[in-house]
Amino acid sequence: MNQRKAVLPMSARYLINAALCLALILGLKGLSASGLLSDYFTKILILVGINIILAVSLNVATGYLGQLPLGHAGFMAVGAYTGGIFLKSVNAAAMSGAPLVLTIAAAILLSGAVAALFGVIIGVPALRLKGDYLAIITLGFGEIIRVVITNIDSVLGFDFTYGASGLKRIPKFTGALNVFLCVVMTCLVIHMVMKSRHGRSILSIRENEIAAESCGVNTTFYKVMAFTMSAFFAGVAGCLYAGNLGSLQPGGFGFMKSIEILVMVVLGGMGSMLGSVVSATVLTILPEALRSFDRYRMVVYSAALILMMIFKPSGLFGDYDFSLSRILEKLGVGKKPAGKEDAR
Amino acid sequence: MKRYNENTRLVPVPSTSVIPDRDVGKLPILECRHLGIDFGGLTAVSDFNLTIGRTEIAGLIGPNGAGKTTVFNLLTKVYQPTRGIIMLDGVDTAGMTTAQVNHAGIARTFQNIRLFSRLSVMDNVLIGLQDSMSYSLPAAILRLPSYWKQEKVARERALELLSIFDMADLADHEAGSLPYGAQRRLEIVRALGTNPSLLLLDEPAAGMNPSETAELMENIVKIRDTFQIAVMLIEHDMSLVMNICEGICVLNFGKVIAKGTAADIQNNPDVIEAYLGKRKEGE
Ligand SMILES: Nc1ncnc2c1ncn2[C@@H]1O[C@H](COP(=O)(O)OP(=O)(O)OP(=O)(O)O)[C@@H](O)[C@H]1O
Ligand SMILES: [Mg+2]
């Protein structure tokens, strides 16, 4: 057993990934500057990015934690309305330069935080119970949020969500670049958490709850943590969504939206971030490419789900995750560790 | 073997426990009094009294369905006892959760292996070791020095624990892909990671061949000697139990029918009738 794999040092791995992100950002900037990126294409890129964030964040609760939330669109709605109302009330439309950037960042974080707060409020009672209560409770939450937003058009005389007529004239701040940054940050933060003691505790609950508890893992705490993290990024996606459309209708955050996100996660492979990214991308572009297909989308989704459950229940990618460094290591880049062979 | 020193008892309750000489006069690691649980109408365990010395290897035996695993589930609070008291290192564990009991010092393995089977061997042990790390969530996200330092120490510790069973070179394998015997050993390593003072092993030799069992036996003694902890094991392999257990408790229909050393147990007529006798009939 002297055949040791080549290993890249951690710092080199981070450098490679940072360089890759920078290259993508510069590429994106270059493309939009040269006018090669049409408005239509930019719109699709933005939608893809928002859906990636939604899928990757839902994957935390389904793939990593092993729960089945059915109200992800509810958290998205909370984030969207929080961001929209915040941006309108600080009059972001009149800003420019650094204050605008800061305001946008604040709006995104605030949207995530408020969605996360809802995550805690729903998660604590639902996740303390053993069993699949979360599915039912989040299902209810998703619907309740939509109905509440529709009906509290004003609070104490202040205009609030504008109810069914919709929240309009939200500053349209969302562009391909800031969506891309949010996608990278979302994936990065989730990755960092999952490769830590916190992430391992979350995974252990999915794998075997009783064993996790016997190992001293405070399962309720980590369940709520994962669920809250999932809600946070759904809120972020909601804020970007609000800044993309410029107006919000409560109807857009229904049960079907939650299911659409869930389909992305399941098709991609529960527990695979790469799977969520790929299937969110494909399932966003496909209906755009095949306009006439839109009518049959839900039918095709259900059919695809059933086929997937029959032939590859673990999803497209199982729980495989992409790692550039690992591929480089396979190719033999990096030095062989000189570590002692003390296994015997 | 001596009778347990009555002066160190917390509450005077008559006990018939035998504990090894070296543990006499010290606070026992575990003391159960009148422990019992009912499942609906079925009394699975009743009036279970047991005292385990700080470095004792104790055995819990009995025919199938006697309630042995249920006793472990009571000790680790997977089930809340209907009656009785569990004192762990002098502390009453009433109201504690499974995780809290683990923090207080009980670690266990399972009769039907419960590994985190889709995670690597290393991750399995690291989850056992998670209490040895204390970095915060922001420290993890920002990869602060505390993250690197504690992860490094934990990983080294994990390899060290794995090497007890010569498993350090399996660290990158998926736990579920290991052979059966290795999975049982990994469960023990993971349990040791939580730094227990009492290790509960539920049929650790099940499914192992005789040479693996002999090796396991040596390792259990080695673990007790190096970590200076108490071990309590459920086992159907009589040679293992009689060889390494200093005190043995026999359970039948949820009741303790005998307690004592291997010699006491082997000659106890009740045990022979309830347990060994039954076996002969079956053959
Ligand atoms: N959760 C439960 N609900 C109802 N009855 C239970 C439960 N757990 C255990 N029992 C019953 O308690 C009794 C003891 O079971 P236990 O698993 O403790 O036996 P055991 O001594 O470990 O047997 P084995 O040697 O087969 O592992 C059995 O009759 C079993 O059916
Ligand atoms: Mg059992």
Side-chain angles (χ1 to χ4, degrees):
Chain A
M1 281 287 284
N2 239 322
Q3 191 82 3
R4 280 260 185 134
K5 278 175 290 172
V7 174
L8 280 172
M10 252 5 238
S11 47
R13 289 169 184 234
Y14 288 147
L15 269 178
I16 291 170
N17 289 320
L20 193 71
C21 285
L22 207 66
L24 275 171
I25 290 177
L26 291 179
L28 211 59
K29 276 210 141 172
L31 270 179
S32 55
S34 65
L36 276 173
L37 212 57
S38 67
D39 273 0
Y40 175 67
F41 202 67
T42 313
K43 274 271 175 264
I44 293 184
L45 269 187
I46 291 173
L47 284 182
V48 167
I50 291 173
N51 280 338
I52 288 179
I53 298 177
L54 286 170
V56 165
S57 60
L58 183 62
N59 184 39
V60 173
T62 51
Y64 296 145
L65 182 63
Q67 295 281 335
L68 184 65
L70 295 175
H72 212 52
F75 295 115
M76 184 189 173
V78 170
Y81 273 88
T82 306
I85 292 167
F86 174 76
L87 285 170
K88 275 189 83 162
S89 58
V90 299
N91 199 10
M95 293 181 189
S96 64
L100 180 63
V101 172
L102 285 180
T103 310
I104 290 172
I108 291 175
L109 287 177
L110 185 71
S111 306
V114 174
L117 185 68
F118 275 82
V120 175
I121 293 170
I122 292 158
V124 169
L127 292 166
R128 277 178 58 193
L129 306 166
K130 294 214 164 64
D132 295 324
Y133 295 96
L134 193 73
I136 296 156
I137 292 181
T138 50
L139 182 69
F141 163 73
E143 288 306 290
I144 289 168
I145 269 296
R146 196 173 52 80
V147 173
V148 166
I149 290 174
T150 313
N151 289 299
I152 50 160
D153 33 0
S154 64
V155 175
L156 301 173
F158 293 102
D159 286 329
F160 195 55
T161 68
Y162 295 88
S165 61
L167 185 67
K168 300 214 174 68
R169 283 186 292 283
I170 302 166
K172 288 190 173 192
F173 70 89
T174 307
L177 192 66
N178 51 25
V179 168
F180 179 76
L181 280 177
C182 285
V183 170
V184 170
M185 289 309 289
T186 304
C187 293
L188 186 72
V189 168
I190 292 175
H191 176 81
M192 292 303 199
V193 172
M194 292 318 294
K195 299 276 180 221
S196 74
R197 73 185 179 100
H198 310 282
R200 282 192 298 262
S201 299
I202 291 168
L203 290 173
S204 74
I205 296 169
R206 172 194 78 188
E207 290 293 304
N208 196 314
E209 196 167 339
I210 291 184
E213 274 174 42
S214 310
C215 286
V217 174
N218 185 344
T219 49
T220 306
F221 177 82
Y222 284 106
K223 277 184 191 173
V224 173
M225 175 190 273
F227 187 64
T228 304
M229 190 158 79
S230 173
F232 177 91
F233 288 110
V236 169
C239 185
L240 293 171
Y241 177 85
N244 180 38
L245 288 187
S247 68
L248 294 173
Q249 300 285 342
F253 304 102
F255 178 60
M256 276 313 181
K257 181 70 190 166
S258 298
I259 292 300
E260 201 183 315
I261 308 166
L262 188 65
V263 168
M264 290 174 184
V265 176
V266 174
L267 287 186
M270 299 222 227
S272 165
M273 196 185 277
L274 173 68
S276 298
V277 171
V278 170
S279 76
T281 309
V282 171
L283 292 185
T284 315
I285 293 176
L286 215 58
E288 290 295 331
L290 309 164
R291 272 285 166 182
S292 54
F293 162 81
D294 206 42
R295 206 181 312 163
Y296 308 106
R297 193 164 54 156
M298 276 310 172
V299 179
V300 173
Y301 280 3
S302 348
L305 260 189
I306 292 171
L307 289 177
M308 194 64 120
M309 286 303 128
I310 295 173
F311 293 109
K312 198 165 187 311
S314 57
L316 217 51
F317 289 88
D319 50 13
Y320 172 82
D321 257 322
F322 175 74
S323 157
L324 188 62
S325 325
R326 201 163 53 210
I327 291 174
L328 287 176
E329 281 168 5
K330 280 231 174 83
L331 295 174
V333 185
K335 44 179 191 295
K336 310 241 179 224
K340 29 189 179 15
E341 207 73 33
D342 57 354
R344 297 282 115 183
Chain B
M1 290 283 175
K2 280 187 188 159
R3 294 289 155 191
Y4 170 50
N5 184 346
E6 292 290 327
N7 296 330
T8 60
R9 300 203 73 90
L10 298 156
V11 178
V13 170
S15 168
T16 54
S17 282
V18 278
I19 58 175
D21 293 349
R22 60 177 185 282
D23 291 338
V24 169
K26 292 181 193 151
L27 189 66
I29 196 64
L30 183 82
E31 224 182 322
C32 304
R33 282 182 226 135
H34 308 304
L35 198 58
I37 185 169
D38 303 336
F39 293 114
L42 176 89
T43 301
V45 173
S46 66
D47 208 25
F48 183 80
N49 293 296
L50 186 71
T51 307
I52 297 182
R54 302 195 77 84
T55 60
E56 179 179 351
I57 297 183
L60 183 60
I61 61 173
N64 289 108
K68 307 179 294 294
T69 300
T70 306
V71 168
F72 275 18
N73 285 335
L74 289 174
L75 295 180
T76 53
K77 296 298 169 98
V78 172
Y79 300 146
Q80 292 295 338
T82 317
R83 302 170 289 275
I85 307 174
I86 303 165
M87 304 287 279
L88 178 65
D89 206 3
V91 180
D92 191 343
T93 65
M96 286 190 188
T97 63
T98 303
Q100 284 166 340
V101 169
N102 176 266
H103 293 154
I106 301 185
R108 74 175 288 190
T109 67
F110 297 88
Q111 182 172 356
N112 42 354
I113 303 174
R114 288 176 183 271
L115 284 173
F116 309 125
S117 47
R118 287 198 294 168
L119 306 185
S120 71
V121 169
M122 175 55 92
D123 282 347
N124 271 268
V125 186
L126 285 177
I127 290 164
L129 280 163
Q130 68 131 14
D131 281 331
S132 71
M133 293 173 266
S134 59
Y135 58 80
S136 64
L137 190 63
I141 294 171
L142 300 172
R143 290 293 190 255
L144 296 184
S146 61
Y147 168 88
W148 292 114
K149 218 179 289 167
Q150 293 174 18
E151 284 280 320
K152 183 162 177 279
V153 172
R155 272 163 206 277
E156 281 166 5
R157 179 72 176 154
L159 287 178
E160 214 173 286
L161 292 174
L162 281 169
S163 65
I164 297 175
F165 291 108
D166 279 347
M167 288 173 72
D169 49 350
L170 296 178
D172 294 332
H173 287 58
E174 198 181 81
S177 72
L178 296 182
Y180 196 73
Q183 294 199 11
R184 288 221 172 272
R185 291 188 284 267
L186 177 56
E187 265 206 325
I188 300 179
V189 173
R190 181 181 70 184
L192 280 176
T194 66
N195 194 21
S197 40
L198 172 62
L199 180 61
L200 305 179
L201 306 176
D202 200 340
E203 305 199 8
M208 287 189 179
N209 61 37
S211 79
E212 277 183 310
T213 306
E215 205 180 315
L216 176 75
M217 220 147 74
E218 275 173 34
N219 279 320
I220 291 173
V221 177
K222 188 169 109 189
I223 286 169
R224 193 271 313 272
D225 292 343
T226 34
F227 295 89
Q228 288 292 305
I229 59 175
V231 179
M232 180 169 172
L233 53 91
I234 295 174
E235 194 40 76
H236 285 296
D237 185 325
M238 281 308 129
S239 73
L240 187 149
V241 175
M242 296 303 165
N243 269 320
I244 65 172
C245 292
E246 294 156 291
I248 298 172
C249 174
V250 189
L251 216 54
N252 196 18
F253 295 116
K255 288 197 174 64
V256 177
I257 56 169
K259 257 189 259 185
T261 62
D264 296 344
I265 298 299
Q266 273 164 327
N267 299 324
N268 187 311
D270 287 343
V271 177
I272 294 169
E273 190 195 316
Y275 196 148
L276 305 171
K278 227 182 215 172
R279 253 206 182 161
K280 270 181 197 145
E281 277 168 30
E283 272 164 12

